[in-house]
Amino acid sequence: MRKLTLFSIFLAAVVIILGAYTRLTDAGLGCPDWPGCYGHVTVPLSEEKVAAANAAYPERPVEAAKAWNEMIHRYFAGTLGLCVLAIAVLAVKGRHNGTPVRLPVVLLCLIIFQAALGMWTVTLNLLPVVVMGHLLGGFSVLACLFILYLRLRDHQPDAVTFKHSNSVPLDDVEKISHTQHKLRRFALVGVAIVVVQIALGGWTSANYAALACTELPICESGWQERLDVVGAYSVPEAENYEFGAHDYGERVTMHILHRAGALVTFVYIVALGISVLFSQRTSAPIKRIAQFVLGSLILQVALGISNVVFMLPLGVAVLHNAVAAILLLSLLALVYYLTPLSNRRSVSIFGGQRHAKVGNSPIVMAANASSASYSSHSITKASGGFHG
């Protein structure tokens, strides 16, 4: 199940990248029906099938390149759905062995809803709310799979290496736990900020506002007079939302607010990363995750600037979506490993010694309470608690 979950993570990442590629190549309606393409399992290519397809959908004649972009995305999404179904079945079967069940079931429900959003994306002619929801749904599936993988890895007896060290005084245990609790809350807010920024980017892309501003640092002159927040985040009535239905001022507003969100995200995540790196009560693995977070953030900002300077090159724009996913996952990893170990897996006992971690800092406690620096009774009083 762990290997299947890991495979599903990579598959979900591919689906997100293909979804971005499909959207950026204006292929969201490459197939005007769902789940097939012009009534076929594959793109119609023969002259006879193309003629029949064009007769059935005269407003949307066959464009093979766009249709293949859309169908390849659907094939990968369908495969991901089958993998999630298999994960849910395996989780239910292994529930008596301590295998997580609720998260796989939630994932299955999420993937079903994601399929419905994919259908509505086509049937509602790229309605921006649905397109943005579909994007967020893809990120949600990826995030849930990643968290499930971390939990499954912790569930494996051989997945965690316990290191021997001197006994840690109770005061230090409490200080470490308190510091990591604060950093965890700090990181959770960071996750929320990144999700909001992804939503702002999704809304900007869904309404074709990525090139509404082509100058830095804000926009072309006179942008202040064009601001219309209410209009920018409303949905105008239209028969078809392909290429956008908002006016220029509303698109400028979307773009500027996305840039403002990027600035807030950058400042906050940098502050988070520095706080973790310079804390004396976080372990080396957690610091490495913080370094990865900061590296992903810098790369994401560089890609965002490149989108503006080079007028939204396809490769850069797709990579901008991919790095957003990497940044989100790295933040989730930071939150996960800042979570008290007692909330992630039970303490294990090996070789006559009780091994535990506060956050990610190894602590070795002698099984004989008389040789420990604090009693087993005092352990339960430590912040976060331990349960052997």
Side-chain angles (χ1 to χ4, degrees):
M1 181 172 168
R2 185 175 54 163
K3 291 181 179 179
L4 179 58
T5 302
L6 181 60
F7 173 74
S8 299
I9 290 172
F10 287 106
L11 194 58
V14 170
V15 170
I16 288 175
I17 292 171
L18 288 174
Y21 184 82
T22 301
R23 185 171 65 254
L24 290 163
T25 54
D26 301 323
L29 294 178
C31 295
D33 52 343
W34 189 93
C37 190
Y38 293 94
H40 300 278
V41 177
T42 62
V43 177
L45 296 177
S46 67
E47 291 185 5
E48 180 181 350
K49 290 182 178 179
V50 170
N54 291 339
Y57 298 92
E59 75 287 354
R60 186 69 58 178
V62 175
E63 294 181 70
K66 290 185 177 182
W68 273 119
N69 288 350
E70 173 66 10
M71 286 307 295
I72 291 173
H73 173 59
R74 293 184 189 179
Y75 294 150
F76 274 89
T79 304
L80 175 61
L82 293 176
C83 288
V84 171
L85 175 61
I87 289 171
V89 171
L90 290 173
V92 172
K93 287 185 176 180
R95 63 188 182 278
H96 300 300
N97 299 323
T99 303
V101 176
R102 284 182 296 180
L103 187 53
V105 171
V106 169
L107 258 169
L108 181 59
C109 295
L110 185 59
I111 207 77
I112 293 171
F113 183 60
Q114 183 71 346
L117 287 172
M119 177 187 67
W120 295 331
T121 296
V122 175
T123 59
L124 297 178
N125 294 317
L126 303 181
L127 181 67
V129 172
V130 175
V131 174
M132 186 186 71
H134 196 43
L135 174 69
L136 291 177
F139 276 87
S140 299
V141 170
L142 179 64
C144 288
L145 282 168
F146 183 66
I147 294 171
L148 177 61
Y149 175 75
L150 293 178
R151 291 185 60 189
L152 290 171
R153 189 174 64 173
D154 271 359
H155 183 66
Q156 298 294 324
D158 60 343
V160 179
T161 301
F162 295 90
K163 299 179 181 179
H164 292 267
S165 65
N166 295 327
S167 297
V168 179
L170 181 58
D171 288 345
D172 288 347
V173 172
E174 292 177 338
K175 289 177 181 178
I176 292 171
S177 182
H178 179 67
T179 298
Q180 294 195 354
H181 178 68
K182 290 196 300 182
L183 289 174
R184 178 175 178 270
R185 287 188 297 178
F186 199 174
L188 279 170
V189 175
V191 170
I193 289 174
V194 168
V195 170
V196 171
Q197 178 63 5
I198 291 171
L200 288 173
W203 186 257
T204 301
S205 178
N207 287 284
Y208 300 85
L211 292 177
C213 294
T214 57
E215 293 185 8
L216 295 170
I218 302 179
C219 197
E220 286 79 0
S221 60
W223 60 267
Q224 299 91 334
E225 290 77 21
R226 296 190 180 97
L227 290 178
D228 182 3
V229 176
V230 175
Y233 293 95
S234 62
V235 181
E237 292 186 8
E239 292 184 2
N240 193 321
Y241 293 90
E242 190 175 23
F243 306 117
H246 289 82
D247 62 35
Y248 177 64
E250 292 167 345
R251 296 189 198 195
V252 166
T253 304
M254 298 175 198
H255 191 109
I256 290 175
L257 289 179
H258 181 49
R259 288 196 194 182
L263 178 61
V264 172
T265 302
F266 180 79
V267 171
Y268 190 93
I269 301 302
V270 166
L272 169 64
I274 291 174
S275 298
V276 175
L277 289 175
F278 284 89
S279 173
Q280 296 181 349
R281 295 170 184 156
T282 54
S283 64
I286 291 179
K287 292 183 188 295
R288 285 195 292 270
I289 295 174
Q291 291 171 346
F292 191 83
V293 168
L294 291 175
S296 302
L297 177 67
I298 293 171
L299 177 58
Q300 183 70 341
V301 171
L303 290 170
I305 294 173
S306 298
N307 275 331
V308 176
V309 173
F310 300 110
M311 304 294 289
L312 202 66
L314 181 59
V316 174
V318 171
L319 196 57
H320 194 50
N321 284 263
V323 176
I326 293 172
L327 178 60
L328 177 61
L329 295 189
S330 60
L331 280 169
L332 289 172
L334 186 61
V335 170
Y336 185 83
Y337 286 110
L338 285 171
T339 301
L341 184 67
S342 57
N343 293 343
R344 292 195 273 122
R345 60 174 291 175
S346 60
V347 173
S348 302
I349 298 176
F350 298 95
Q353 287 184 313
R354 179 176 295 176
H355 299 257
K357 291 181 182 179
V358 178
N360 210 43
S361 301
I363 300 171
V364 178
M365 297 169 289
N368 184 351
S370 62
S371 64
S373 61
Y374 47 95
S375 69
S376 60
H377 175 71
S378 67
I379 293 173
T380 60
K381 297 179 181 179
S383 177
F386 295 101
H387 308 281

